[in-house]
Amino acid sequence: MEYTLILLAIFIVAISRAYYLDYKSDKEEFKFSLKKVGKKVLEYCFILLIIIGIKSAYTYFIPLNKTHGVEYNSERLKLGIPQISGNLKYIPEWSEQFELVWYNENSKNGHFKKIVEYGVLNAKSETDYYKNENKKDIYVWSEYDFTDNSFAYFMEKPNDKVASVSENGQLKIEKPRIEQKINKSEFEKFINE
């Protein structure tokens, strides 16, 4: 640490001495070069302000259409997407620039979470999560894709098979939970039980 400070002090003294000698040798040239350097510094500061402005505009204004909250429920009804009910609360801590999350912390059964994912221009998908208190640790969700107006259904459940043997005889540790795609009838059966 001491050596760094000593080297920094030597460097500053050397630069200061060089500027002083330059100033003494030709005062007009020195002033002209200072003006030139000052203009460059101002140009770079202006460019930096433009970059910061673009980044903040991107952060606050993109996605352009972020109106898929409660006011979008009438459109959800037409598309067959589950609506945001009064028991689902918007959670800003879980949400991000391209994702909004609604959650019902008191739900033990039924629809308990909705996530709306956005692209730059508009919403890309809405995912609705359901649980059933008769089937512990099993969740299902539907995902509506706005680009092709289609639903996909999924289920996540605990993996009963924690370890298995691979084809070459090695012991393989399985994931603690299994995620699988299901059809609409299995999904509806789960949420209606």
Side-chain angles (χ1 to χ4, degrees), residues 13-35 37:
V13 167
I15 295 288
S16 300
R17 178 79 178 145
Y19 274 115
Y20 176 74
L21 292 175
D22 189 33
Y23 175 75
K24 281 291 192 186
S25 66
D26 188 0
K27 293 179 183 178
E28 291 302 316
E29 177 65 29
F30 182 77
K31 288 178 184 177
F32 178 72
S33 65
L34 271 181
K35 286 179 185 176
V37 168

Side-chain angles (χ1 to χ4, degrees), residues 20-85:
Y20 176 74
L21 292 175
D22 189 33
Y23 175 75
K24 281 291 192 186
S25 66
D26 188 0
K27 293 179 183 178
E28 291 302 316
E29 177 65 29
F30 182 77
K31 288 178 184 177
F32 178 72
S33 65
L34 271 181
K35 286 179 185 176
K36 235 174 141 177
V37 168
K39 284 181 183 178
K40 284 292 181 192
V41 168
L42 286 175
E43 286 175 14
Y44 290 132
C45 287
F46 183 69
I47 291 170
L48 185 63
L49 284 174
I50 289 173
I51 291 171
I52 291 170
I54 290 171
K55 176 155 180 15
S56 63
Y58 176 79
T59 303
Y60 293 109
F61 299 116
I62 303 290
L64 297 176
N65 182 7
K66 213 170 188 178
T67 59
H68 285 254
V70 177
E71 70 276 357
Y72 195 72
N73 274 344
S74 60
E75 291 298 317
R76 284 189 182 92
L77 192 60
K78 292 176 194 172
L79 296 169
I81 305 170
Q83 298 180 6
I84 298 174
S85 59

Side-chain angles (χ1 to χ4, degrees), residues 58-166:
Y58 176 79
T59 303
Y60 293 109
F61 299 116
I62 303 290
L64 297 176
N65 182 7
K66 213 170 188 178
T67 59
H68 285 254
V70 177
E71 70 276 357
Y72 195 72
N73 274 344
S74 60
E75 291 298 317
R76 284 189 182 92
L77 192 60
K78 292 176 194 172
L79 296 169
I81 305 170
Q83 298 180 6
I84 298 174
S85 59
N87 57 356
L88 289 174
K89 304 291 181 215
Y90 171 65
I91 311 290
E93 299 84 36
W94 296 358
S95 301
E96 298 172 358
Q97 181 178 0
F98 290 96
E99 184 176 275
L100 298 180
V101 178
W102 283 269
Y103 187 74
N104 180 1
E105 59 190 33
N106 300 324
S107 176
K108 295 181 181 173
N109 205 15
H111 188 208
F112 70 96
K113 185 177 181 181
K114 179 184 276 291
I115 298 176
V116 181
E117 291 183 40
Y118 293 91
V120 173
L121 300 175
N122 212 342
K124 288 190 334 187
S125 67
E126 276 196 32
T127 308
D128 292 281
Y129 293 86
Y130 296 85
K131 58 185 169 182
N132 188 332
E133 61 185 3
N134 297 331
K135 298 183 177 187
K136 298 286 184 198
D137 290 337
I138 299 176
Y139 302 96
V140 295
W141 65 91
S142 66
E143 185 174 302
Y144 183 79
D145 188 350
F146 285 101
T147 55
D148 61 1
N149 297 327
S150 65
F151 277 99
Y153 303 97
F154 301 91
M155 177 183 282
E156 184 181 288
K157 59 186 176 181
N159 189 357
D160 298 332
K161 193 171 143 182
V162 177
S164 64
V165 178
S166 65

Side-chain angles (χ1 to χ4, degrees), residues 1-20:
M1 180 71 176
E2 291 176 11
Y3 295 116
T4 308
L5 291 175
I6 292 170
L7 287 173
L8 184 62
I10 291 171
F11 181 73
I12 290 172
V13 167
I15 295 288
S16 300
R17 178 79 178 145
Y19 274 115
Y20 176 74

